[in-house]
């Protein structure tokens, strides 16, 4: 491991490398429901469980930005990324989505946008339009695709209504143009998956041309079909110690050039049924890093020497 590279390429390290400073995120909502909800919705999903308190129904995007700056940035960050994490933002027609993004990106404080979406919601004309927009304004765009697992049985169980082929097709569309970055969401602890299954997903995704990754531990949210399964004793959940140990075994298989935007889930406490770890995210991060240092573990340890990771050639500096 290079002395000038952190053990984890976190979002904060990525921002210091790219922008020279810490950057905030302002979650935004275009107000269009996820199309999968019309087909029953995902087994684990309840939008209220992850909707930030700064978002209010019927607020305009301008008002969402104003409230986000006041309630989320709180003077800690001057600059931000416009984060469309609610629902499925790319279900909006490209001809309507691009002007909305252009208005936000015109804000000098906004350095780019993140679109969190489904693999089956990437219109054929969207990648080129997005690439043209960010190229013209000199800002960035990360498209996060919710894959969750490479295993078809898991996607079926979760009622995702897309397969691995849909994800790979979406990735190909986005990588066919210059200027866009791609991230992936994965869920760890899907019922029926073994650690070998999770490792296979991480290895497969890590070998793809992506720039960012989010790992989520499975959470049980009140009022979801998954909650019903949990009450029936059909869904095990990780203890904090179990999940940290799993991460310690998976992280060496994630190439070190991939930015880890998240390593665990967050949900509103009043809707979270399980697991309850009684530990803030900052303390989880400190515990993980202490374990990594004590055991000599770092991100990419098992794969960088095999895949010629860019990080091996150009290790980034800690800010």
């Amino acid at each position: 491991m290079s002395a000038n590279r952190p053990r984890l390429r976190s979002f904060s390290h990525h921002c210091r490398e790219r922008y020279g400073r810490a950057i905030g995120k302002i979650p935004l909502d275009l107000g269009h429901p996820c199309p999968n909800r019309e087909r029953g919705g995902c087994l684990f999903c309840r939008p209220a469980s992850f909707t930030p308190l700064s978002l209010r129904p019927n607020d305009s995007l301008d008002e969402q930005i104003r409230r986000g700056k006041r309630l989320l940035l709180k003077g800690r960050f001057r600059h931000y990324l416009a984060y469309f994490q609610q629902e499925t933002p790319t279900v909006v027609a490209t001809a309507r989505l691009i002007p909305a993004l252009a208005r936000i990106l015109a804000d000098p404080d906004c350095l780019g946008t993140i679109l969190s979406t489904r693999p089956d919601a990437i219109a054929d004309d969207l990648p080129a339009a997005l690439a043209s927009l960010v190229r013209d304004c000199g800002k960035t765009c990360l498209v996060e695709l919710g894959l969750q697992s490479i295993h078809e049985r898991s996607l079926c169980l979760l009622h995702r209504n897309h397969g691995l082929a849909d994800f790979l097709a979406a990735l190909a569309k986005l990588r066919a143009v210059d200027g866009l970055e791609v991230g992936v969401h994965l869920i760890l602890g899907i019922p029926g998956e073994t650690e070998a299954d999770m490792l296979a997903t991480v290895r497969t995704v890590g070998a793809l041309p992506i720039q960012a990754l989010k790992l989520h531990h499975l959470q049980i949210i009140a009022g979801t079909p998954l909650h019903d399964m949990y009450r029936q004793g059909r869904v095990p959940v990780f203890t904090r110690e179990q999940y940290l140990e799993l991460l310690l075994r998976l992280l060496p298989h994630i190439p070190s050039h991939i930015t880890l935007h998240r390593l665990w889930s967050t949900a509103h406490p009043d809707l979270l049924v399980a697991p309850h770890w009684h530990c803030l995210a900052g303390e989880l991060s400190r515990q993980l890093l202490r374990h990594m240092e004590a055991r000599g573990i770092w991100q990419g340890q098992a794969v960088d020497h095999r895949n010629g990771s860019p990080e091996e050639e150009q290790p980034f500096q800690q800010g």
Side-chain angles (χ1 to χ4, degrees):
M1 174 180 169
S2 175
N4 57 353
R5 192 178 76 201
R7 292 186 180 276
L8 287 176
R9 184 179 176 88
S10 66
F11 175 70
S12 61
H13 281 292
H14 166 75
C15 288
R16 288 196 292 270
E17 177 195 28
R18 171 170 283 181
Y19 305 112
R21 65 183 73 90
I23 303 295
K25 294 181 184 179
I26 296 182
L28 301 171
D29 186 2
L30 291 171
H32 294 266
C34 176
N36 198 41
R37 200 161 298 123
E38 297 178 0
R39 296 174 285 186
C42 296
L43 196 73
F44 54 85
C45 184
R46 181 175 174 182
S49 69
F50 56 83
T51 300
L53 297 177
S54 63
L55 287 182
R56 300 183 304 191
N58 304 317
D59 274 352
S60 68
L61 287 176
D62 289 339
E63 178 59 24
Q64 291 178 44
I65 292 290
R66 283 193 291 270
R67 284 177 58 81
K69 285 183 176 181
R70 186 173 73 254
L71 299 177
L72 299 176
L73 302 188
K74 297 180 180 178
R76 293 187 302 146
F77 309 105
R78 175 184 171 186
H79 297 97
Y80 68 93
L81 299 176
Y83 184 22
F84 291 87
Q85 69 167 353
Q86 297 300 116
E87 304 292 348
T88 305
T90 59
V91 74
V92 178
T94 300
R96 293 179 56 200
L97 178 61
I98 295 300
L101 296 178
R103 288 202 313 274
I104 294 169
L105 292 173
D107 180 358
D109 294 338
C110 180
L111 301 184
T113 186
I114 302 174
L115 298 172
S116 181
T117 190
R118 288 173 54 86
D120 55 357
I122 303 295
D124 290 342
D125 63 343
L126 179 60
L130 278 176
S132 177
L133 172 63
V134 297
R135 182 172 58 249
D136 290 345
C137 67
K139 298 189 177 180
T140 64
C141 179
L142 171 67
V143 181
E144 297 178 342
L145 298 174
L147 173 60
Q148 317 312 348
S149 173
I150 65 167
H151 305 290
E152 300 294 340
R153 67 182 185 279
S154 295
L155 299 178
C156 183
L157 172 69
L158 296 178
H159 204 239
R160 290 290 294 171
N161 283 307
H162 70 73
L164 178 60
D166 297 301
F167 165 79
L168 294 173
L171 177 62
K173 287 181 186 179
L174 295 166
R175 298 301 297 164
V177 299
D178 293 328
L180 300 181
E181 299 177 3
V182 181
V184 181
H185 291 196
L186 300 177
I187 293 178
L188 300 175
I190 297 171
E193 285 202 358
T194 65
E195 183 172 323
D197 293 327
M198 291 180 263
L199 178 58
T201 292
V202 166
R203 282 175 166 168
T204 298
V205 170
L208 296 173
I210 66 170
Q211 289 73 45
L213 186 62
K214 280 186 176 178
L215 302 179
H216 297 246
H217 69 283
L218 186 72
Q219 291 186 305
I220 312 300
I221 304 302
T224 63
L226 190 65
H227 185 197
D228 294 334
M229 292 176 60
Y230 178 75
R231 286 186 292 199
Q232 296 166 11
R234 298 165 56 194
V235 184
V237 294
F238 291 113
T239 66
R240 180 178 62 186
E241 293 75 16
Q242 288 172 336
Y243 189 67
L244 289 176
E245 287 296 326
L246 176 66
L247 288 178
L248 291 168
R249 293 190 289 272
L250 295 183
L251 287 169
H253 299 276
I254 300 173
S256 58
H257 68 274
I258 294 177
T259 300
L260 298 170
H261 282 234
R262 188 176 297 163
L263 289 173
W264 27 71
S265 307
T266 56
H268 290 316
D270 54 341
L271 295 178
L272 178 63
V273 175
H276 289 285
W277 291 349
H278 306 292
C279 186
L280 296 176
E283 178 56 29
L284 282 173
S285 296
R286 288 187 287 272
Q287 289 181 16
L288 177 63
L289 288 171
R290 284 197 296 266
H291 288 317
M292 293 180 74
E293 183 173 2
R295 303 185 196 183
I297 293 171
W298 62 89
Q299 179 185 338
Q301 185 175 16
V303 293
D304 282 350
H305 65 285
R306 293 203 301 266
N307 62 16
S309 166
E311 287 301 323
E312 287 300 305
E313 299 167 8
Q314 297 178 329
F316 63 87
Q317 303 289 325
Q318 297 191 57

